[in-house]
Amino acid sequence: MRHNTELLQSYDALTKSVVFVQGNQGISLVDYNKVDLTPIGSGRSAYVFKIRESNRVLKVFYPPFEGIAAKEAEIYQSLKGISFYPALYDYGENYLVIDHIEGLTLFECLVHGKKMNERHVELIDEALGMARERGLNPSDIHLHNIIITPTDEVKLIDVARFRQEKFCTQWEDIKTVFYKYYIKKYFPKKWSARILYFIAALYKKKLLTRFY
């Protein structure tokens, strides 16, 4: 997995250029190498940057989540060769370097009104099945970590929880809603982000089980 020293030092230097600060509202990004990095997203444990003039991204974990980097890297190594998942190029104490995936997440598809179909669901099932064949337990599958590419293929990212022991029902619940509601002609295909986040909050509190 480790490549030449110059490349390693380059990734390491890019990571060291990223500076976070803890504030009243949580972690904030305050500085990074603006020549070589472009911020493209953030989550509950990391910021993601597109590495300019490449098809790779740098995922930098902030305190206290740095240890997730090695765990997620190990999982990506287990998934090596499966086209549904990005390839891992390098990792360090608090970062990963993986493929940059073009496309829209399922969440963005709903916000933009891009229609999803049964083939997408079948491909996601296939991707998760292939992960299970590698001894993993796909968990925490949600609308933000499944991407539909411009060529209408499916990619899955953020695999850190693929070694959880408990059975995760999130993807099965999404599928149930898809077949019970989404594919119906009357069901709206475009939703505001605010409504989707509200629905997600209700789901986490287990207040929606009677509907599916």
Side-chain angles (χ1 to χ4, degrees):
M1 185 56 58
R2 297 285 177 169
H3 300 294
N4 63 67
T5 302
E6 182 180 352
L7 187 59
L8 289 175
Q9 290 176 342
S10 173
Y11 291 144
D12 189 60
L14 288 175
T15 301
K16 284 185 168 64
S17 78
V18 179
V19 179
F20 301 112
V21 64
Q22 177 71 55
N24 294 331
Q25 304 299 318
I27 291 288
S28 297
L29 175 66
V30 294
D31 198 16
Y32 59 93
N33 180 335
K34 296 177 178 61
V35 174
D36 298 311
L37 297 176
T38 302
I40 59 172
S42 64
R44 56 192 171 191
S45 61
Y47 271 76
V48 180
F49 304 84
K50 173 77 163 52
I51 302 175
R52 291 182 185 169
E53 299 184 3
S54 80
N55 286 321
R56 300 178 183 183
V57 299
L58 175 70
K59 184 176 183 178
V60 183
F61 295 85
Y62 51 75
F65 302 105
E66 297 96 331
I68 296 176
K71 295 177 182 178
E72 189 163 5
E74 182 181 347
I75 293 169
Y76 274 123
Q77 288 170 330
S78 297
L79 295 166
K80 183 178 180 180
I82 301 178
S83 62
F84 293 111
Y85 302 91
L88 173 71
Y89 296 98
D90 186 47
Y91 70 94
E93 185 175 316
N94 65 328
Y95 72 88
L96 303 173
V97 179
I98 60 176
D99 284 323
H100 175 244
I101 307 298
E102 295 281 354
L104 297 175
T105 65
L106 296 192
F107 184 92
E108 291 169 330
C109 286
L110 288 171
V111 170
H112 294 289
K114 175 180 171 57
K115 190 174 181 180
M116 294 168 277
N117 58 51
E118 293 180 71
R119 176 180 171 274
H120 296 136
V121 173
E122 291 167 358
L123 288 174
I124 295 165
D125 271 336
E126 182 180 351
L128 298 176
M130 295 178 78
R132 293 187 186 98
E133 290 173 359
R134 300 283 177 95
L136 299 172
N137 177 31
S139 304
D140 198 30
I141 309 300
H142 52 73
L143 300 180
H144 293 281
N145 58 15
I146 302 171
I147 298 173
I148 298 178
T149 72
T151 56
D152 210 36
E153 297 302 313
V154 162
K155 298 283 186 177
L156 279 73
I157 58 174
D158 296 337
V159 299
R161 290 177 173 80
F162 273 34
R163 289 199 186 279
Q164 284 188 175
E165 293 185 3
K166 67 178 183 178
F167 177 70
C168 177
T169 66
Q170 284 187 187
W171 171 241
E172 293 304 317
D173 293 338
I174 291 172
K175 278 203 306 181
T176 298
V177 171
F178 176 86
Y179 286 113
K180 189 173 182 179
Y181 298 108
Y182 183 86
I183 62 174
K184 307 298 184 183
K185 289 183 179 180
Y186 64 80
F187 192 83
K189 303 302 184 285
K190 187 173 183 179
W191 293 72
S192 74
R194 180 176 296 181
I195 291 176
L196 291 175
Y197 282 122
F198 177 69
I199 292 172
L202 294 177
Y203 174 81
K204 289 179 182 178
K205 294 180 180 179
K206 302 186 184 301
L207 298 176
L208 297 177
T209 52
R210 63 177 176 170
F211 296 104
Y212 61 87

